[in-house]
Amino acid sequence: MRAAFSDTLVALAKADPNVLLLTGDHGYALFDAFRAQCPDQYINAGIAEQNMVGMAAGLARAGFRPFVYGLAAFVPVRVVEQIKLDIAHDDLPVVLCGDGAGFVYSHLGTSHQSTEDIACTRAIPGLTIYSPADRFELAACMEQAYAQKGPVYMRMGKADLGDVHTLPPALPMNQFQPVARGLGPVTFIATGSMVRTALDIQEAGYPDAAVWSVPSIKPIDENQLVEIARGSRLLCVLEEHSVIGGLGAAVAEVCSIHHPVRVLRIGVNDRFSHHCGSYKYLLQEHGLDLSAARAAVDHAVANLQP
């Protein structure tokens, strides 16, 4: 995914000299290609994320197309006020790229982990939120973010889990993307890194279940979601994010109004990590590893009313 991010950003910048990359002193190796091919379009704003977002807003007003890169714990979480007032309020075409969402920066502790970024940004009016699952979705989301000319938050999680698609997904990216077809009573809906987990659960124990990836958290395709819900008795929503205010919450909100159905939310519960450890360890501690997620699904299926 990181290579796709770099390649797509370079392609956009070479095609449009107004595309600028701003980074808060991060990602030097990641941006080697960009700095080599588009050196005049690269700005290292230093470890001053609030100022960087304000700078991006000013550049957008001057006709530039800023892409702002940082760790998701800092962009957007540290700069929510600046995103709200400097960018979203005036509908400026700034793309905010938060890398390492979820527990990716595991050993660095709570300060560098981001499990609340979707919740923080969902409530900001007019801000689109993308959460791609693989390199295909990431490239498509970036291209769509550039084309739509409005404020966007791009959430990027664990980057080395492999592809969930074999071909580029269908546009527009605000639609649910099919990963596995099925007509069973259980449907898996996931975003980001957890699409791989959903697919693994489906392949291991629920071969007749459909798996849908949700690269667009906001806007979410309500009509498509209702159609999916009408064909299911249980929606299993997986995300490497808090169960409060994330994808599972969005799914439950839509279904409660238009088609009530059982929604199982598999995500981070309302607590901090108890211990520091590896990415694998933190997934286990929070019940997001394959074994725990599968057990949660099995329990919900066993308790479905006949």
Side-chain angles (χ1 to χ4, degrees):
M1 281 178 66
R2 291 170 67 85
F5 174 75
S6 176
D7 293 345
T8 306
L9 190 56
V10 169
L12 290 172
K14 291 176 71 174
D16 182 355
N18 287 321
V19 169
L20 302 177
L21 169 63
L22 287 73
T23 176
D25 210 28
H26 291 292
Y28 289 119
L30 175 61
F31 298 129
D32 281 350
F34 191 97
R35 290 189 297 153
Q37 299 183 53
C38 309
D40 295 335
Q41 295 163 258
Y42 176 84
I43 301 172
N44 184 350
I47 305 174
E49 289 85 359
Q50 292 96 334
N51 290 337
M52 178 170 63
V53 172
M55 184 188 303
L59 289 167
R61 288 184 182 279
F64 292 98
R65 301 298 310 278
F67 282 71
V68 179
Y69 175 90
L71 304 190
F74 310 138
V75 178
V77 176
R78 179 178 287 175
V79 294
V80 169
E81 179 185 4
Q82 285 75 27
I83 294 172
K84 170 186 172 182
L85 297 179
D86 295 351
I87 294 174
H89 182 271
D90 292 338
D91 196 34
L92 295 177
V94 177
V95 181
L96 304 143
C97 305
D99 199 0
F103 294 115
V104 176
Y105 290 98
S106 51
H107 286 103
L108 297 179
T110 300
S111 64
H112 282 61
Q113 297 161 12
S114 182
T115 59
E116 63 287 301
D117 52 312
I118 294 174
C120 289
T121 52
R122 272 187 69 211
I124 297 178
L127 181 64
T128 295
I129 303 172
Y130 292 132
S131 175
D134 66 6
R135 59 191 173 108
F136 294 115
E137 288 190 358
L138 187 144
C141 285
M142 287 188 66
E143 291 169 359
Q144 187 160 308
Y146 170 79
Q148 73 186 53
K149 299 181 180 179
V152 174
Y153 169 48
M154 179 84 63
R155 184 183 208 252
M156 297 183 289
K158 187 66 171 171
D160 56 357
L161 299 178
D163 295 333
V164 298
H165 299 285
T166 56
L167 296 170
L171 295 176
M173 292 307 292
N174 63 322
Q175 294 181 335
F176 287 51
Q177 300 295 327
V179 177
R181 300 287 187 178
L183 297 174
V186 177
T187 297
F188 294 95
I189 298 173
T191 192
S193 62
M194 295 301 288
V195 177
R196 167 51 57 188
T197 303
L199 189 58
D200 289 344
I201 296 173
Q202 185 262 2
E203 291 174 345
Y206 297 88
D208 60 343
V211 179
W212 295 90
S213 174
V214 186
S216 176
I217 306 296
K218 180 187 175 185
I220 193 166
D221 192 325
E222 295 190 6
N223 292 330
Q224 189 180 18
L225 175 56
V226 170
E227 287 302 311
I228 292 170
R230 285 175 176 159
S232 308
R233 295 181 58 207
L234 174 66
L235 300 180
C236 300
V237 185
L238 297 88
E239 57 188 322
E240 194 178 325
H241 182 274
S242 173
V243 295
I244 300 172
L247 174 62
V251 169
E253 289 161 10
V254 173
C255 290
S256 69
I257 296 172
H258 299 290
H259 187 81
V261 66
R262 176 90 183 268
V263 177
L264 170 66
R265 294 179 297 162
I266 299 176
V268 180
N269 289 320
D270 188 24
R271 69 172 181 85
F272 293 110
S273 300
H274 292 156
H275 303 285
C276 185
S278 66
Y279 178 73
K280 179 180 179 181
Y281 163 76
L282 287 173
L283 291 182
Q284 292 172 342
E285 181 185 315
H286 289 276
L288 297 182
D289 61 299
L290 178 59
S291 176
R294 168 72 187 274
V297 173
D298 290 345
H299 183 266
V301 171
N303 286 277
L304 280 175
Q305 294 298 321

